[in-house]
Structures are given as structure tokens and as C-alpha cells.
């Protein structure tokens, strides 16, 4: 066993003395050492229950003959970090989580791992780490929050942000906002729509790294405790069979994840995280091939913010496996991929019934014949940009209007809430990309303000930053190359006409090549916004959004 490096032989006597200091017995040292990577903390609602999940996992590992040993991973609540300097520190934690988990696992020579994530960057960060470390690993998340209820209707965090915009527009009172505030987030768990956290937890199932139900069983259900115990037991089975993450997270598994992403209508952030996970297994992930998959993959789900259903509804309808079984009716998945169940994808999803065709549309009756995400290219985004097509109203699928240009998120929000943005406008927020931000902030505040002001069906927003999974509307992010490296978005001027055609996957700045060349010749790089600390190091190494904002050593 790998842990023999720290537990067996005369040279390891000092190591054993330190295990003695920890209170471990010889019997525990003789068993496989299983690292339990627990992301519990007291500031993220999706993580406040992970201590209970951890206890259950440890019991499962012990029941199956292993020695569970917990160590922590960090996590940021994107909702609390939203709209201020804290959002610069959200995406960047993905790499901190991957790096620190790799360091802990390699330093202490664990034989196997159970990862316990839940919220946005925590899940992909641990998936990246799992691919690097490559010891038998199972994921079990903390689970989604139940939807809130306001005036008899189910609501979630996106409703809360939009309520603030409605208040600014004068269509909602302060008392109304307070009622939303008190009711939209009623339990612990990852926020209840198909936002980034739930998207990535569902895709963890599809990748084969989580057991069935990992993405959908609500955080407050006792069923999740049982799932955690099974995860602990299952990792011991994987260790016995020597099934490792890179046996599971193959190129075919990544393509399965992208396919199910299209059917579920996942967050655009999955188009940052899937390329980063693919990078860890040596796969070159070109985001533009998402359009090829989207073209043949029907969109089967309209979960919030795209529609009125929530994660609890998806769970009752049969969960991710039921969605996968619908897709498999048209042969859209690679069913021979191995998973942490010890079975193949095909074996896992066989006979999984769609119990609610209003939540999971049958493949014969999809919301659309094409998938939930689209990658747009053109002279404004030569390397691509991403939009959640399933959350765009029909009127905005094709749009042309004047650019309203802002060099930071705060200025755009002031203009929107100040009534300076009108129907037909195309709001451009730049210098918010991975390098320019730095950290590629989410733009939930401006998209929510646009929706709350009643402009969701008439105003588009384009950015080299990114969007929350809670964003909806014609919100086009990840514009690459970003402004900070001289991408065309840096050359847009106030009043330039921008044409968006989502069905044709095009985004065009209606300015001649000659004029753009003149502007490019005059363009001067901006001084970095941050020059010290982790953000400065991150900015020096990070790529644009089309490559997943991965870190590379500068050459």
C-alpha cells in the first residue's frame, strides 16, 4: 500500500511515533489510510452541514476496514462574495483548493481519498486534485438547499438578487424585499437552482466520480447521510480493485459531462471548469466543440433560473441518472465508461425512470432540440464566448444594439440602476477577465439589475468576466481574448453596434477591420489592478476564459 511509505519498516519508526502522538493504534496503522477531504466551514451555507457528512463518510470507511483521516479544504460562498472585492477571490480558490489538496495527499501518502465538497469552485478544485493525485477516490457533496416559498411560489437566490433590481425600479417595496430576504434560502445546502454548485455536483455524477444522487439529494434529507456512508464504504472497494480517477475521468467521460450539461441547462461556469478538469487528464478541450455537442443534444430541463423547477424537483423526478437515461435513448452517451460504483455508465442508468415529464422532458418532447449552452465566436470574441442559451428569452436570441461600455462592474451597475441603460442597449463590461479583474468576477448583480429593471427581454450584457449560474437573459461571458491582453473587447467604443445571433453562434462588432487595426495600434495595456499577494501571482499565470482560466508558468 502507498501508506507503507509512512507506516512500515525501521526507517519509518519516527513516522510511527507521530501517528502515536495523534492517538492512532497499531491496528489503525495496519489498515489503508483514507484521506477525508472535508470542506466544512461556518460561512458557506452549502458547507455548514459537511461535518455531518464527514462523520458519516468516516463511519463508512471504518465499517469497510479502512482508517479515515480528515483534513480540510477551503471554500468561498459566491453569494456573500458577490458585488465587492471578495468576488475577485472566488474563481482563484479553485486552484488553491487543487494545489493544497494535492500537497496534503502527497505529503501524507494516503491510500485513497473521499472528497466532500459542495459549492462553486470547491467541486472542480477537488476534481482537479483527484486527477493529479490519482488514488482511488469517491466524491460525496453536501447537497442542494430546498427552495424557498414567497407568496405561495417557489423561489431561490436568483429571485433575491432580482428583487433588489425591482426595488431600484420602483416595482417592489422594501417590505417585499425583506420577505424575499427571509424566505428564499430556508435551509443549508448549495443554492436551490441549477447554479454552478449544483451543476458541478450533477456533472460529478456524470463524470463517474460521485454515486447516484450526489448532485440532487437535498442537504437536509437523511438520505444524504446514508449516501455519505456508502461513499466511505465504496472507496474501500475501489481501493481493492485499484480503480482510480484517471480510469474514470477519461476523454469520453468529459464528453458525457458536456452532453448532460447541455440537457440539464447548467451554469456557464461549467465551461470554465470542464476545460480545467480536462487539462488535468491531458485532454485539449476546445470550447467551440461544445456547439457540435449542443447541436445534437436536446435541452430537457429548465431549472431555476431558466424555469420554475428546482433541484428538489429534479431529485424527485429521478435525478441525473434519469436525465442520462433519456439521452441514452438516442445513443448520445458513451455508456462503457467506468464509474465509482464499480459499474459502467450504462449499467448505472439502466432502468432509471423519468418520474416527472414536466421536470425532465422526455427526449421526444424537449424544450429545444439543441443544448442549454452555446459558444459564440466572431470578431468581438475570436477565441469564443459563452451564453446559457436555455435562459435567454426568444426575443433576445438575435439582437443588435449600441454598445454601452464600462471598464468595471461597479460603473455598469450604477448606470443600470440609475436608469441610464435603455431597451436595445448592449452593456459591455471589460477588464474583468481572469487577468484583468484579476479573478474573473461573476456579474450576477448587473444581470439581476437588468432583469429587475424589466429590461431582461431587451438588453444584452457582454463581458470578459463571467456569470453566476443564477444569471439569466442574454448574458454573454468569457469573451476571449480578454481586454487585459488586448482582445477586441478592449477596442469597443461607446455607441459601436454589436450584433448577437445565438442560433448561429455569432457575435460581431460592426466596425471595419481597418478601424479595429487603428484602435489596436493605439491601445495601451492597463496597469495591473493588483500588484501584491496571491491575486498578483494568479494574474501573472492565468489564461483567458476559453482555456478554462487554467494556470500556466509564464515563458
Amino acid at each position: 500500500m502507498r501508506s507503507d511509505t509512512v507506516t512500515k519498516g525501521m526507517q519509518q519508526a519516527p513516522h510511527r511515533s507521530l501517528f502515536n502522538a495523534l492517538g492512532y493504534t497499531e491496528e489503525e496503522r495496519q489498515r489503508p489510510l483514507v484521506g477525508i477531504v472535508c470542506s466544512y466551514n461556518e460561512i458557506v451555507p452549502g458547507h455548514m452541514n459537511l461535518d455531518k457528512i464527514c462523520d458519516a463518510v468516516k463511519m463508512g470507511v471504518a465499517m469497510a476496514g479502512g482508517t479515515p483521516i480528515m483534513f480540510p479544504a477551503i471554500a468561498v460562498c459566491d453569494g456573500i462574495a458577490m458585488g465587492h472585492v471578495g468576488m475577485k477571490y472566488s474563481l482563484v480558490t479553485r486552484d488553491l483548493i487543487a494545489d493544497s489538496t494535492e500537497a496534503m495527499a502527497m505529503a501524507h501518502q494516503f491510500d485513497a481519498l473521499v472528497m466532500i465538497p459542495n459549492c462553486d469552485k470547491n467541486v472542480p478544485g477537488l476534481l482537479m486534485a483527484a486527477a493529479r493525485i490519482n488514488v482511488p477516490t469517491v466524491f460525496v457533496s453536501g447537497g442542494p438547499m430546498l427552495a424557498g416559498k414567497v407568496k405561495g411560489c417557489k423561489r431561490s437566490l436568483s429571485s433575491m438578487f432580482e428583487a433588489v433590481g425591482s426595488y431600484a425600479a420602483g416595482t417592489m417595496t422594501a417590505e417585499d424585499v425583506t420577505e424575499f430576504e427571509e424566505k428564499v434560502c430556508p435551509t443549508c445546502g448549495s443554492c436551490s437552482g441549477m447554479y454552478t454548485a449544483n451543476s458541478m455536483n450533477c456533472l460529478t455524477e456524470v463524470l463517474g466520480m460521485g454515486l447516484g444522487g450526489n448532485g440532487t439529494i437535498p442537504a437536509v434529507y437523511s438520505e444524504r447521510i446514508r449516501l455519505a456512508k456508502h461513499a466511505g464504504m465504496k472507496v474501500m472497494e475501489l481501493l481493492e480493485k485499484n480503480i482510480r480517477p484517471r480510469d474514470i475521468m477519461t476523454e469520453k467521460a468529459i464528453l458525457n459531462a458536456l452532453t448532460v450539461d447541455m440537457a440539464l441547462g447548467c451554469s456557464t461556469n461549467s465551461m470554465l471548469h470542464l476545460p480545467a478538469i480536462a487539462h488535468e487528464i491531458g485532454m485539449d478541450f476546445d470550447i467551440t466543440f461544445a456547439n457540435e455537442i449542443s447541436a445534437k443534444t436536446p435541452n430537457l430541463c429548465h431549472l431555476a433560473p431558466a424555469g420554475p423547477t428546482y433541484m428538489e424537483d429534479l431529485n424527485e423526478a429521478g435525478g441525473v441518472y434519469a436525465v442520462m437515461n433519456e439521452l441514452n435513448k438516442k445513443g448520445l452517451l458513451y455508456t462503457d465508461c467506468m464509474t465509482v460504483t464499480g459499474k459502467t455508465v450504462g449499467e448505472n442508468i439502466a432502468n432509471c425512470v423519468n418520474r416527472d415529464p414536466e421536470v425532465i422532458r422526455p427526449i421526444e418532447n424537449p424544450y429545444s432540440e439543441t443544448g442549454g449552452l452555446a459558444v459564440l465566436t466572431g470578431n468581438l470574441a475570436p477565441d469564443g464566448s459563452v451564453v446559457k442559451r436555455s435562459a435567454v428569452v426568444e426575443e433576445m436570441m438575435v439582437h443588435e444594439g449600441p454598445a454601452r461600455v464600462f471598464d468595471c462592474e461597479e460603473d455598469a451597475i450604477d448606470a443600470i440602476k440609475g436608469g441610464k441603460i435603455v431597451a436595445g442597449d448592449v452593456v459591455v463590461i471589460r477588464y474583468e477577465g481572469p487577468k484583468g479583474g484579476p479573478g474573473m468576477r461573476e456579474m450576477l448583480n448587473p444581470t439581476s439589475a437588468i432583469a429587475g429593471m424589466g429590461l431582461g427581454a431587451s438588453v444584452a450584457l457582454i463581458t470578459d468576466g463571467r456569470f453566476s449560474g443564477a444569471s439569466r437573459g442574454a448574458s454573454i461571458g468569457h469573451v476571449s481574448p480578454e481586454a487585459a491582453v488586448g482582445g477586441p473587447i478592449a477596442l469597443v467604443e461607446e455607441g459601436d453596434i454589436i450584433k448577437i445571433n445565438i442560433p448561429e453562434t455569432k457575435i460581431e462588432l460592426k466596425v471595419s477591420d481597418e478601424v479595429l487595426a487603428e484602435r489596436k495600434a493605439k491601445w495601451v495595456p492597463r496597469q495591473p489592478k493588483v500588484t501584491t499577494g496571491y491575486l498578483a501571482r494568479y494574474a501573472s499565470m492565468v489564461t483567458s476564459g476559453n482555456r478554462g482560466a487554467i494556470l500556466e508558468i509564464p515563458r
Side-chain angles (χ1 to χ4, degrees):
M1 288 191 297
R2 180 179 170 124
S3 61
D4 289 353
T5 309
V6 295
T7 60
K8 303 285 176 64
M10 183 55 67
Q11 293 300 315
Q12 280 65 46
H15 304 70
R16 290 193 295 274
S17 72
L18 293 167
F19 277 93
N20 287 337
L22 287 161
Y24 288 108
T25 65
E26 181 180 353
E27 291 82 359
E28 287 173 302
R29 291 199 308 269
Q30 294 297 320
R31 296 176 175 181
L33 303 186
V34 180
I36 313 299
V37 189
C38 182
S39 306
Y40 169 76
N41 65 43
E42 296 180 340
I43 188 61
V44 183
H47 289 236
M48 63 179 283
N49 65 322
L50 297 193
D51 55 340
K52 307 297 187 299
I53 301 294
C54 183
D55 288 344
V57 169
K58 290 168 74 174
M59 184 174 291
V61 169
M63 285 192 296
T67 298
I69 303 173
M70 187 280 290
F71 65 90
I74 64 168
V76 163
C77 176
D78 276 18
I80 294 174
M82 194 71 65
H84 56 88
V85 68
M87 184 44 70
K88 293 179 184 289
Y89 286 88
S90 171
L91 178 61
V92 305
T93 64
R94 185 187 71 186
D95 296 273
L96 280 175
I97 291 162
D99 293 348
S100 59
T101 302
E102 175 192 359
M104 287 292 289
M106 298 304 292
H108 300 102
Q109 293 292 285
F110 292 107
D111 297 301
L113 298 166
V114 179
M115 307 289 199
I116 308 176
N118 210 29
C119 288
D120 296 26
K121 313 310 165 299
N122 188 239
V123 184
L126 290 180
L127 286 165
M128 291 162 66
R132 289 183 200 171
I133 301 160
N134 203 35
V135 299
T137 302
V138 176
F139 275 66
V140 56
S141 77
M145 184 184 292
L146 294 178
K149 286 190 177 180
V150 182
K151 294 180 171 59
C153 296
K154 285 187 177 181
R155 300 291 186 182
S156 62
L157 186 66
S158 53
S159 308
M160 183 71 256
F161 277 89
E162 290 176 14
V164 175
S166 297
Y167 176 76
T171 58
M172 189 175 282
T173 67
E175 290 75 18
D176 291 331
V177 174
T178 298
E179 183 179 4
F180 271 76
E181 183 181 329
E182 292 176 349
K183 294 181 178 178
V184 296
C185 296
T187 73
C188 65
S190 47
C191 296
S192 56
M194 187 53 79
Y195 310 144
T196 306
N198 293 325
S199 295
M200 293 309 302
N201 282 319
C202 288
L203 296 185
T204 298
E205 277 189 60
V206 184
L207 286 168
M209 292 299 294
L211 300 176
N214 179 70
T216 60
I217 298 169
V220 294
Y221 284 13
S222 298
E223 185 182 358
R224 185 153 291 273
I225 299 296
R226 299 199 300 273
L227 184 75
K229 291 176 183 175
H230 283 129
M233 290 184 273
K234 186 60 68 173
V235 80
M236 298 304 296
E237 181 183 319
L238 296 181
L239 180 60
E240 182 182 350
K241 295 178 178 178
N242 196 29
I243 298 173
R244 303 179 180 220
R246 280 184 232 157
D247 301 323
I248 295 170
M249 287 193 287
T250 61
E251 290 195 14
K252 285 183 177 179
I254 296 285
L255 295 176
N256 278 348
L258 189 53
T259 299
V260 178
D261 184 313
M262 296 298 174
L264 285 172
C266 289
S267 162
T268 52
N269 281 310
S270 63
M271 293 301 289
L272 282 175
H273 302 321
L274 287 177
I277 296 163
H279 177 73
E280 297 293 343
I281 66 165
M283 177 183 177
D284 183 15
F285 188 110
D286 178 353
I287 65 168
T288 59
F289 70 55
N291 288 335
E292 298 174 29
I293 290 178
S294 180
K296 62 184 180 182
T297 306
N299 177 228
L300 305 181
C301 299
H302 268 191
L303 294 132
T309 54
Y310 295 81
M311 296 305 297
E312 63 204 64
D313 303 312
L314 179 59
N315 187 62
E316 293 301 318
V320 175
Y321 280 5
V323 175
M324 294 173 73
N325 203 32
E326 288 289 345
L327 294 173
N328 199 41
K329 292 175 182 177
K330 284 194 173 181
L332 295 174
L333 297 176
Y334 294 100
T335 56
D336 58 343
C337 294
M338 179 51 62
T339 73
V340 294
T341 66
K343 300 177 181 179
T344 64
V345 166
E347 290 172 318
N348 286 341
I349 67 175
N351 305 315
C352 289
V353 178
N354 177 0
R355 296 192 290 265
D356 191 338
E358 295 302 314
V359 177
I360 305 171
R361 287 279 186 93
I363 200 155
E364 302 82 10
N365 181 36
Y367 282 101
S368 66
E369 294 293 341
T370 52
L373 297 180
V375 176
L376 312 185
T377 55
N379 68 346
L380 185 55
D383 293 338
S385 59
V386 182
V387 63
K388 188 170 182 175
R389 171 165 41 193
S390 60
V392 180
V393 295
E394 188 62 34
E395 306 93 282
M396 292 299 290
M397 285 291 183
V398 178
H399 180 77
E400 185 173 318
R404 305 297 308 278
V405 183
F406 304 93
D407 287 350
C408 69
E409 177 188 6
E410 288 82 359
D411 290 349
I413 293 171
D414 289 344
I416 295 165
K417 291 186 175 178
K420 297 177 182 177
I421 302 302
V422 299
D425 284 348
V426 178
V427 176
V428 177
I429 306 177
R430 61 192 181 188
Y431 294 100
E432 291 284 8
K435 278 188 185 295
M440 204 178 187
R441 289 194 286 180
E442 286 185 344
M443 301 292 163
L444 180 56
N445 276 340
T447 58
S448 298
I450 287 170
M453 297 286 283
L455 297 171
S458 60
V459 169
L461 195 156
I462 297 171
T463 181
D464 53 7
R466 61 193 178 93
F467 295 107
S468 165
S471 292
R472 63 186 175 97
S475 304
I476 300 162
H478 309 193
V479 170
S480 301
E482 62 173 292
V485 298
I489 192 172
L491 311 179
V492 181
E493 295 185 359
E494 186 81 7
D496 286 347
I497 300 300
I498 294 175
K499 183 173 182 179
I500 300 160
N501 191 319
I502 294 174
E504 294 184 5
T505 67
K506 295 293 184 185
I507 182 167
E508 298 288 340
L509 178 63
K510 300 186 79 172
V511 173
S512 70
D513 292 344
E514 293 77 13
V515 171
L516 285 178
E518 291 173 7
R519 292 181 186 178
K520 177 70 173 178
K522 296 175 183 176
W523 178 79
V524 178
R526 301 290 178 92
Q527 290 298 311
K529 294 177 184 176
V530 180
T531 57
T532 60
Y534 177 56
L535 286 181
R537 295 197 303 276
Y538 180 88
S540 72
M541 299 172 68
V542 72
T543 66
S544 281
N546 67 302
R547 297 187 56 207
I550 60 172
L551 300 186
E552 290 187 327
I553 299 171
R555 301 295 182 186

